[in-house]
Amino acid sequence: MVNEAVKKMAPILGLGFSRHKIRKVVGTARHSAAGFTLLEILLVVAIIGMASILVVPNLTGLESRTFNAQVRQATSLLNYARRIAVVSGQPSTASFHVSDGSTEEERAASSSPTSVGRWDSNGASLSFRDSTEREAEVDEKIEITFYPEGGSTGGTLLLSQAGQLANIIIDPFTGRVSSETPE
């Protein structure tokens, strides 16, 4: 009875193959499969190629992301200073410094008493264009002051790093801060 069940479940046994021959064929196939097939090698190469396509652009875009983060940080500092001036009823100042390697004590001593924050360039060059369209490169620091009634000293901060440019525009009458990327 067991023999009939085996014949029905494994039709290969009914074709004249004995169990001994099947064990011999399976055993031989198991031991002769040493090495890799061409298909396996191509599959591994394709996976490595796809991984490199995903990784390489992320490495080259690192400078771009760093610069964009600096622009967002500068814009946030200006908006924060504006908000503090309106809420507190006192002028507030945002300080923008070109990296100079100074210590924390020197930085604290160089900031004005109304300063609400400091932005360091971290490799970006900084210029300032005032409301009369005069442009000057910032050598050490520049401070933008916001007043309680909503106005500010105004102007445009021009940031550049590795060929990337960004303008942060501060409206002198309303104190509104906006940023743009010139093409």
Side-chain angles (χ1 to χ4, degrees):
M1 180 150 175
V2 175
N3 219 1
E4 287 179 32
V6 171
K7 286 183 181 180
K8 287 183 181 179
M9 291 175 62
I12 196 164
L13 292 175
L15 296 175
F17 291 105
S18 69
R19 287 185 191 159
H20 178 67
K21 286 183 182 178
I22 290 176
R23 281 190 199 128
K24 188 175 179 182
V25 169
V26 171
T28 307
R30 215 179 282 152
H31 294 295
S32 67
F36 298 105
T37 65
L38 181 60
L39 181 63
E40 291 170 332
I41 292 172
L42 289 176
L43 184 64
V44 169
V45 169
I47 290 171
I48 291 172
M50 291 171 71
S52 68
I53 288 172
L54 296 173
V55 170
V56 171
N58 289 334
L59 295 177
T60 58
L62 190 59
E63 286 180 2
S64 173
R65 286 192 301 257
T66 303
F67 180 73
N68 290 337
Q70 285 183 351
V71 172
R72 284 192 308 272
Q73 182 184 19
T75 304
S76 296
L77 176 62
L78 289 167
N79 282 321
Y80 177 71
R82 178 179 182 231
R83 200 172 16 241
I84 292 296
V86 171
V87 170
S88 70
Q90 299 292 322
S92 64
T93 304
S95 301
F96 292 83
H97 296 255
V98 177
S99 293
D100 56 0
S102 60
T103 64
E104 282 296 323
E105 293 82 26
E106 292 170 344
R107 290 178 187 168
S110 70
S111 64
S112 69
T114 60
S115 181
V116 295
R118 174 187 169 119
W119 180 87
D120 289 311
S121 68
N122 293 331
S125 64
L126 182 65
S127 298
F128 181 74
R129 185 183 309 136
D130 62 11
S131 57
T132 61
E133 297 297 320
R134 286 183 296 175
E135 189 173 317
E137 188 164 338
V138 177
D139 294 328
E140 212 172 294
K141 76 174 184 175
I142 188 164
E143 295 182 333
I144 308 293
T145 303
F146 292 89
Y147 302 105
E149 58 275 354
S152 70
T153 53
T156 303
L157 289 170
L158 309 161
L159 284 79
S160 64
Q161 183 179 19
Q164 296 177 316
L165 302 172
N167 297 338
I168 301 174
I169 304 157
I170 306 112
D171 189 294
F173 301 110
T174 64
R176 292 193 195 273
V177 178
S178 62
S179 63
E180 65 180 27
T181 306
E183 293 184 24

